[in-house]
Every structure is written in C-alpha cells, then in structure tokens.
Amino acid sequence: MSPFASIVYPFRWSLLDSGMNIHSACRSGKKLPLSIQGVKEGLEIKMVAVQQERSGREHILNTARDLFTTHGFHQTSMAELAAAAKISVGQIYRLFKGKEDIIEALIGADMKDRIGKIEELRLRLEAGRINIEQTFEHLVLLSLRDKDEALSFDILAEALRNRPVGETVSAMFQRFRHFLRDFACVANPALSGEALDGAEEVILACIFGLGHRSLSLPNLSDECTARHAAQMIVAALKGVS
C-alpha cells in the first residue's frame, strides 16, 4: 500500500461505517461525526507533514547541488550544507542517511527530468512532428545545456568508488541506452545484433562526450554543434550495413 493510500483509507472506511461518503457530506453541508472529524484532522496533519518533508528534501537537494558543484562532494561537510540550507544537521539526517544518499537523490531527480524530456522527444518523433535528425539534435542539446558539468564529474568519480552510487548511475545509463537503440533503428531499420550494439555505444559516447566539452574551448555554439553532430550521427547510422 502506498503512503498516500495508508492516509486516505482510514478516512474512507470511517465514512462508510457512518453511512456517508465524502461527496454526500460535502453536498449536504452536515457536520461529520466526531469520529470522522478526528480521522479528517489526522489526514490533514499527515498530508501537511508529507508536503513539508517533500519541500524539505527539495530544499536540501537544491542547496547540496550548489555546494557540491562549487566546492566538490567530498570537500563539502554536512555542517556546511546545514549552514547553507539554514537548518540543523539533525534535520538533514532525518531526511537523508548521509551524503551518499543525497547524491543518489540528485541522480534520481536528474534522471527523472532527463528521461521525461527524452520520452517527449520520442512522442514527437512518433507523431511525425520532428524527424530523426531533429531528434538527435535535441538530444545533443540536452547534454550541451547541462550546467552541472563539474558535479557530473564528481558524481562519476564517486560512482567508481562507491557501489550504491555506481549502481544508481548505471541504472540511469541503461534507461538512456534504451532510447538510443530505438532512435538508431528509426535512422536505419536494418540495424540489429552487433551492429546495433556498436551504434548504441558510439552514440552514447558522442552525446556523453559533447556534454563535457567546456574545458576543450569549443569554437561552435551549442546549437551549431548539436546540428552538425545530429547530421553526422544519422549519416553514420544510415551507412552501417
């Protein structure tokens, strides 16, 4: 049972026991029985608590993202994070087990956002609103416009040392690979087997590498780079037999 269901169900059954439902009570304007009022008040308190916890987690994660990007993951202490977030260290530990848990939450949030955007690209492609070259162009732009480059390197370094973090990062890449295979097959429906595996690896390397190009002092804008990269990727895919 979900947390939300565990909150709602007691209220629901109390109403049924009294021969009422939420809609009839609202329409009649009658006061709810005292037993149900107690459940209702408890429901409201729990919902506020859930909202506060969610808000607290987001606040800590946003602050952590800024600090980790500026100072580094290992260089940022929990005391510094608490001071920057203007909360106590104890409040952080009530929501997160430690810095590793915060890193995993950041990866999860980023993955959810990125996958959502890629899923939207796939839907636009399937609807014929964009072609495969435009799809890859937008895909590359997503990486080029990622402003957390320093944090990404820090997370990758931690992922190589820390198994739980590494598994979270690997799960993110696995979902990303699934989309790349689909897009590669749209560009060249004949791709299969080792050729498709190879296409997946090369595309992933290209997009991942382009997302970390700032220190190479690029000559082209993000938009121009994405356009040329998409043209080359599609041309390469079509040329594979």
Side-chain angles (χ1 to χ4, degrees), residues 56-78 80-87 92 96 98-107 110 148 150-152 154-155:
R57 284 179 63 88
E58 290 176 355
H59 176 59
I60 292 170
L61 290 176
N62 289 335
T63 304
R65 185 185 298 276
D66 291 339
L67 285 178
F68 293 169
T69 299
T70 305
H71 304 298
F73 171 65
H74 287 289
Q75 288 70 33
T76 301
S77 68
M78 293 296 266
E80 289 172 327
L81 176 56
K86 297 181 180 179
I87 58 176
I92 297 178
F96 299 96
K99 284 199 292 182
E100 293 176 1
D101 197 22
I102 293 175
I103 279 289
E104 289 186 48
L106 285 173
I107 297 170
D110 288 346
D148 291 332
L151 178 58
S152 295
D154 224 13
I155 289 175

Side-chain angles (χ1 to χ4, degrees), residues 10-26 28-42:
F11 184 40
R12 176 188 175 191
W13 287 116
S14 295
L15 286 170
L16 292 174
D17 290 342
S18 67
M20 300 175 68
N21 58 53
I22 295 174
H23 299 295
S24 63
C26 291
S28 66
K30 295 179 180 179
K31 290 186 178 180
L32 295 170
L34 291 177
S35 61
I36 298 178
Q37 288 182 31
V39 175
K40 179 176 180 291
E41 291 172 0

Side-chain angles (χ1 to χ4, degrees), residues 40-170:
K40 179 176 180 291
E41 291 172 0
L43 170 65
E44 291 173 346
I45 292 171
K46 288 181 179 180
M47 290 183 71
V48 169
V50 169
Q51 291 171 351
Q52 289 177 339
E53 179 176 331
R54 184 181 297 114
S55 177
R57 284 179 63 88
E58 290 176 355
H59 176 59
I60 292 170
L61 290 176
N62 289 335
T63 304
R65 185 185 298 276
D66 291 339
L67 285 178
F68 293 169
T69 299
T70 305
H71 304 298
F73 171 65
H74 287 289
Q75 288 70 33
T76 301
S77 68
M78 293 296 266
E80 289 172 327
L81 176 56
K86 297 181 180 179
I87 58 176
S88 68
V89 173
Q91 284 177 288
I92 297 178
Y93 278 111
R94 278 194 289 273
L95 296 173
F96 299 96
K97 297 176 183 178
K99 284 199 292 182
E100 293 176 1
D101 197 22
I102 293 175
I103 279 289
E104 289 186 48
L106 285 173
I107 297 170
D110 288 346
M111 178 173 69
K112 182 178 179 180
D113 178 67
R114 182 65 61 88
I115 294 299
K117 291 176 180 177
I118 299 174
E119 179 63 39
E120 183 181 348
L121 280 179
R122 180 165 68 177
L123 292 174
R124 292 172 64 190
L125 175 64
E126 291 175 350
R129 293 163 56 193
I130 55 176
N131 59 36
I132 189 58
E133 192 170 294
Q134 291 169 323
T135 301
F136 276 114
E137 184 175 342
H138 287 300
L139 198 59
V140 173
L141 271 176
L142 284 178
S143 292
L144 292 174
R145 289 174 175 170
D146 185 354
K147 303 306 178 185
D148 291 332
E149 188 175 351
L151 178 58
S152 295
F153 280 121
D154 224 13
I155 289 175
L156 289 173
E158 184 63 20
L160 291 172
R161 296 187 291 261
N162 186 310
R163 184 175 178 180
V165 175
E167 290 174 348
T168 302
V169 171
S170 296

Side-chain angles (χ1 to χ4, degrees), residues 198-237:
E200 174 190 316
E201 293 295 340
V202 173
I203 297 170
L204 180 61
C206 287
I207 293 176
F208 182 76
L210 287 169
H212 297 85
R213 66 174 191 144
S214 62
L215 293 178
S216 67
L217 303 178
N219 296 317
L220 300 177
S221 66
D222 289 350
E223 293 74 15
C224 192
T225 299
R227 185 174 67 255
H228 285 292
Q231 291 171 351
M232 293 179 186
I233 289 172
V234 173
L237 288 171

